[in-house]
Amino acid sequence: MHVVVVVLWSELCTCLCAAPVYNSVFYLLFVQDDPSQSKRSPSSPQGGPKKRSAFGDITNAKQNPAIVTRKSAGKKPESTVTQEVSKNTANLPKSSGRKALLDNGPEQKEKRSRPVVDKENRVQVPAEPSAVTTPKKEPELQIPAYDDVDEENLNDPFLNALYAKDIFNYMKEREEMFVLKGYMEKQPDLNIEMRAILVDWMVEVQENFELNHETLYLAVKLVDHFLATTMCLKENLQLLGSTAILLAAKFDERCPPCVDDFLYICDDAYQREELLSMEVNILKTLKFDINIPVAYRFLRRYAKCGRASLETLTLSRYVCELTLQEYGFIWETASKLAASCLLLALKMKGLGGWTPTLEHYTGYKVADLQSLTRRLNLLLYNRPNDKLKAVRYKYSHKVFFQVAKIPPMDVLELEEQLSC
């Protein structure tokens, strides 16, 4: 029995070895059923399981499989995290290396809190953020050289603080359109004294009707601009002054006086038709553009910018109103005249000089105002004219702090302060 089995086994092996197909059948019948046997890769030197081609493409995407050596094939595959660390380590300088990233010691943490710079100080590599971050220093606020005087009034819609600076810049540009030159030589029937008497009378009208000071300044401007282009007779000079006040009142006052009021103050020397005709002539001569910048508006603005008191403002108003009667000041621009009057008032009150805030908002430096300030101080030294008492009498009242009684500054003292 045993002999027959051995013979059959030997014949079966001989047949299987003769054909490759039988080899496969032999393997399936006898070898595959053995659990101790597993499929091996002939290219694996260690006899490990063969890698799947998909994972091989991921792990060695840029590597040619034909160039892989046996040494690299025998290594274990690195994980994705390890590969990312290797890439980051390759980008770091040689001094740091992989150890600087993987080491968790206290010395390495302290090093990582500082930036890493190469030897030539050209490329700065940001270091890994430390566990304890130091608070960043806030940038220091730069304090402006001047005060923002309009910021505190932004909530008041009646002050137009948001547009105040733009408004006065626009007025300063417009005043260049209304610069006057000497015109009295073109008026054969008038002289400088007649003009001064007319302005003195207009000051009394403004005070009796309780009109705004802007109305008075604008009326004087209307008279000067009309006389600069049109001849006027002496008997019509008062008619010109009263009509100018009427126009200015319509422009600036909420409740201007009526025509009959102006006929009354002229002692009925003119008819109603004459006054209306003069009004038309003034408007046509000025081409209906009577929005002329006046010094009083600038003066109030500059006094506010300089934080001047009401008494200081009143003193500067007194000096500025005296210039209305003086023919020699008609060609001075309104903004420069207002700034010089305020500067002289500050010097007379001993309140210091021209601050950076005033220089910013006025656009004038002390050097620009020196000559005009000296002339204004000399104006206060002039002996009062008996025919021109309205301005001095007005500002001698307690309502105006009796600023007309304040003595002018000494010329040498003023010169010394202006030169500082």
Side-chain angles (χ1 to χ4, degrees), residues 103-397:
D103 193 0
N104 295 325
E107 297 180 357
Q108 297 297 334
K109 289 182 179 180
E110 183 179 359
K111 291 180 180 179
R112 283 178 296 186
S113 63
R114 299 190 298 269
V116 182
V117 185
D118 60 351
K119 295 181 180 180
E120 298 180 359
N121 294 327
R122 291 183 300 177
V123 180
Q124 184 174 358
V125 182
E128 184 181 0
S130 59
V132 180
T133 58
T134 57
K136 297 181 180 181
K137 294 183 179 180
E138 296 182 358
E140 298 180 358
L141 298 177
Q142 296 181 358
I143 301 176
Y146 59 90
D147 298 333
D148 192 353
V149 297
D150 298 319
E151 185 178 3
E152 59 189 21
N153 298 320
L154 291 177
N155 296 327
D156 192 346
F158 296 101
L159 294 178
N160 292 326
L162 186 62
Y163 307 103
K165 187 175 180 181
D166 295 333
I167 290 173
F168 280 91
N169 288 338
Y170 171 71
M171 291 173 59
K172 196 171 180 180
E173 293 176 0
R174 275 189 60 85
E175 68 180 358
E176 301 296 334
M177 302 168 53
F178 298 95
V179 177
L180 285 167
K181 298 180 180 179
Y183 61 84
M184 196 57 68
E185 61 276 3
K186 300 179 183 179
Q187 298 291 337
D189 205 21
L190 303 178
N191 54 37
I192 297 176
E193 186 179 1
M194 291 180 184
R195 178 193 176 276
I197 294 174
L198 174 65
V199 174
D200 190 77
W201 175 80
M202 295 171 67
V203 172
E204 292 182 357
V205 173
Q206 178 264 329
E207 191 174 8
N208 292 332
F209 283 141
E210 297 180 356
L211 302 176
N212 296 332
H213 286 82
E214 292 88 345
T215 303
L216 172 64
Y217 280 77
L218 180 56
V220 175
K221 284 287 186 180
L222 294 177
V223 170
D224 287 329
H225 281 278
F226 181 81
L227 294 177
T229 56
T230 307
M231 292 181 57
C232 181
L233 299 177
K234 179 174 59 176
E235 55 268 17
N236 293 330
L237 187 59
Q238 189 178 11
L239 177 63
L240 173 61
S242 59
T243 308
I245 297 176
L246 175 62
L247 274 174
K250 289 180 179 180
F251 185 82
D252 196 79
E253 302 287 339
R254 287 184 294 177
C255 298
C258 60
V259 176
D260 294 335
D261 294 331
F262 287 98
L263 294 176
Y264 174 78
I265 62 174
C266 293
D267 197 15
D268 295 327
Y270 308 102
Q271 300 296 323
R272 183 184 183 92
E273 290 76 11
E274 293 178 322
L275 193 142
L276 296 178
S277 179
M278 179 62 72
E279 182 180 12
V280 173
N281 291 336
I282 295 175
L283 291 175
K284 287 183 177 180
T285 302
L286 300 182
K287 299 179 181 179
F288 292 86
D289 188 4
I290 62 174
N291 185 20
I292 304 174
V294 295
Y296 189 82
R297 298 186 188 276
F298 289 101
L299 186 57
R300 292 182 61 182
R301 169 69 173 175
Y302 296 162
K304 181 180 180 181
C305 296
R307 311 286 183 180
S309 62
L310 183 58
E311 184 176 356
T312 305
L313 173 60
T314 306
L315 177 58
S316 59
R317 285 166 51 187
Y318 166 64
V319 179
C320 192
E321 201 161 320
L322 283 177
T323 61
L324 294 178
Q325 301 174 344
E326 299 296 326
Y327 177 76
F329 290 91
I330 63 170
W331 44 78
E332 298 292 344
T333 57
S335 59
K336 187 175 182 180
L337 180 62
S340 301
C341 291
L342 181 60
L343 177 59
L344 180 60
L346 292 174
K347 297 297 184 181
M348 293 175 64
K349 300 290 291 184
L351 300 177
W354 206 241
T355 62
T357 302
L358 286 171
E359 182 177 338
H360 171 75
Y361 284 101
T362 62
Y364 295 107
K365 299 180 180 180
V366 179
D368 303 329
L369 307 175
Q370 287 181 353
S371 177
L372 187 54
T373 304
R374 298 188 191 100
R375 292 174 56 198
L376 293 173
N377 190 48
L378 293 176
L379 179 63
L380 298 178
Y381 272 103
N382 293 341
R383 184 178 179 179
N385 193 337
D386 295 337
K387 298 180 181 180
L388 308 175
K389 295 181 179 180
V391 178
R392 297 181 185 271
Y393 179 79
K394 173 183 176 181
Y395 285 93
S396 297
H397 200 273

